[in-house]
Every structure is written in C-alpha cells, then in structure tokens.
Amino acid sequence: MQIAEMNWMQVEAYLQSDDRVVVPLGSTEQHAYLSLCVDAILAERIAIEAAEPLGVPVFPVQPYGVTPYFSAYPGTITLRPRTYRRLIWDLLDSLGGTGFRRVLFVNGHGGNAVAEAFAGDWTKENAGVQVRFHHWWREPDTMAHARAIEAVATHASWMENFPWTRLEGVDMPSHAKPELDTSGTREMAPEMVRELLGDGSFGGSYQRSDEETAGLWEVAVRETRAAITQGWEDA
C-alpha cells in the first residue's frame, strides 16, 4: 500500500491491526549517464515491491540526501548532515506520534547513513518505537549476488542501471571503466571529486544484460521484504 493511495481514515484503520511502516530515503545526485534521481527511484520502487504483498504502507521517497562531494555536478542537491538528521528526527516524531511503532527506512544512498545513529538517539527518547535502516544495495545477499555477476559493482555502474533508471536517447559506454580509488572523496573538494571521477562512475561496466539485473533486483526485493517482516523485537 502506498500512502499516496490512502486517506487518513484508512491509515487509522490499518493501525488497529499493524504498526509497521516503510519510508524510502533517496538522493538527487549525479549518476554518470543515468538519471540524477537513481537513488530515489530505486529506494522507492524496491520498498513498494517488497511491502506490497505484506500490506504494509510505504511513504513517498525523501528525494534529497547528504551528498556534498558531488555538488560540482549540475543537478545535484545536497543537505547538510545536521539538516538531514533533524529531518529524520522530525519524520520519526510524526510517525511515532500517529501510532506507527515499527519504522523501516529503506535507504538508497550511502551519505544518508549519517542519520542512522541519530535515529537511535530518537528511540532512546521514545520508548516503544523501533527504528531500523535497510541499505538495500549493500545488504549481504544483494551484494553477494552482485559480486557474483561482476566483481566491480559501484556508484553509477551496471548495478544501478535498470530500465527505470535509464534515460531515453542516452547511450551507455560499451567498455568497463577501471575501478577508481574513492576512499578519500568525502574529504575532497567537490571540484577535485569531479576531476577524479570524470563522468561520475566509480568504475565497472556501465550496463549488463537485463536478465542479470532482473535477477539482482529479485534478490534485493526479497531481502528488503525480509527486513520488513523479520528482526523486530517483541513488543
């Protein structure tokens, strides 16, 4: 169920029998030849597909994240870490205040992890509400499946290249880009990051077969669904 397709009365009725909710977290940032909204598109879609058979509501994706290192690429929007943490805190205040007691953030962008510990602080002040983060692309089953297809699975590579993240009329390079050492990019000036990355990809093939990526997507949806259903503490 998508919150966009529900009214408040239906949500109130849902909360009589279940208290789980899913909130996708994305980013609007450069992804080489792919959409600037890759992280938002993937986080929301995987959350919806994972939650649908469970009847758990999914909120619209938060499309902006923490990505200052990509700010030299036009179209990128970044929030300050303190702004993002405050945003997550306010979201939790609203969700907890209206009756949700198990909140799963399905995250699609590494920079958003700055809010995970902050959410833990929120739960210490709000007994009875559980909050978890599921970083879909780096969860063990999904990452293992990706590595089995190709050892290099990185930002703006084939691993994020799905029919729903490609752009019409944009051709992908046919070669594989050597994997770059990006370990220091979060401390570098944005202009230096752009000089290092060039087109924005961290390395690896730009695209693989739809059959391969469909298999990866299936694993990611299944692992996300497990995160919705499992791992919660007994009330």
Side-chain angles (χ1 to χ4, degrees):
M1 298 186 291
Q2 297 182 54
I3 285 292
E5 298 173 355
M6 302 175 71
N7 59 39
W8 71 266
M9 292 163 281
Q10 291 171 310
V11 174
E12 187 170 68
Y14 164 81
L15 287 167
Q16 299 304 308
S17 59
D18 203 335
D19 58 10
R20 294 172 295 174
V21 68
V22 179
V23 182
L25 303 175
S27 180
T28 300
E29 62 180 32
Q30 73 82 13
H31 274 79
Y33 300 91
L34 300 171
S35 168
L36 281 152
C37 292
V38 161
D39 291 343
I41 292 169
L42 296 181
E44 184 170 57
R45 187 179 181 115
I46 205 166
I48 291 170
E49 291 189 22
E52 183 176 12
L54 305 175
V56 174
V58 178
F59 273 82
V61 67
Q62 161 55 36
Y64 306 120
V66 179
T67 180
Y69 33 85
F70 289 154
S71 60
Y73 289 89
T76 294
I77 291 179
T78 185
L79 301 179
R80 294 178 177 85
R82 64 176 181 271
T83 303
Y84 196 74
R85 294 187 188 105
R86 186 69 254 180
L87 170 66
I88 295 299
W89 191 284
D90 287 352
L91 290 176
L92 289 171
D93 275 349
S94 294
L95 294 168
T98 53
F100 292 104
R101 293 292 177 264
R102 289 177 289 175
V103 181
L104 182 71
F105 287 110
V106 174
N107 180 36
H109 171 60
N112 295 343
V114 299
E116 190 165 3
F118 201 63
D121 293 338
W122 184 90
T123 61
K124 294 175 184 176
E125 297 185 16
N126 295 270
V129 182
Q130 300 177 56
V131 181
R132 290 169 39 216
F133 276 70
H134 178 79
H135 310 280
W136 77 264
W137 78 99
R138 72 182 193 198
E139 297 298 329
D141 291 350
T142 300
M143 183 52 69
H145 192 89
R147 298 297 191 201
I149 296 172
E150 182 176 320
V152 182
T154 64
H155 174 81
S157 75
W158 68 272
M159 189 182 181
E160 298 185 298
N161 186 330
F162 297 91
W164 43 89
T165 57
R166 297 176 202 147
L167 300 174
E168 186 176 355
V170 177
D171 295 326
M172 294 290 152
S174 58
H175 64 281
K177 182 178 180 178
E179 186 174 16
L180 300 173
D181 179 3
T182 60
S183 57
T185 52
R186 296 197 178 187
E187 289 72 47
M188 294 168 59
E191 294 74 18
M192 293 179 64
V193 173
R194 179 167 173 172
E195 183 177 354
L196 171 67
L197 300 181
D199 63 12
S201 169
F202 284 9
S205 297
Y206 288 87
Q207 185 169 335
R208 294 191 68 95
S209 72
D210 285 348
E211 181 179 7
E212 289 173 310
T213 53
L216 175 64
W217 187 255
E218 181 180 346
V219 172
V221 169
R222 183 168 62 245
E223 195 166 27
T224 303
R225 186 172 298 140
I228 300 172
T229 58
Q230 304 168 16
W232 304 105
E233 299 176 3
D234 293 336

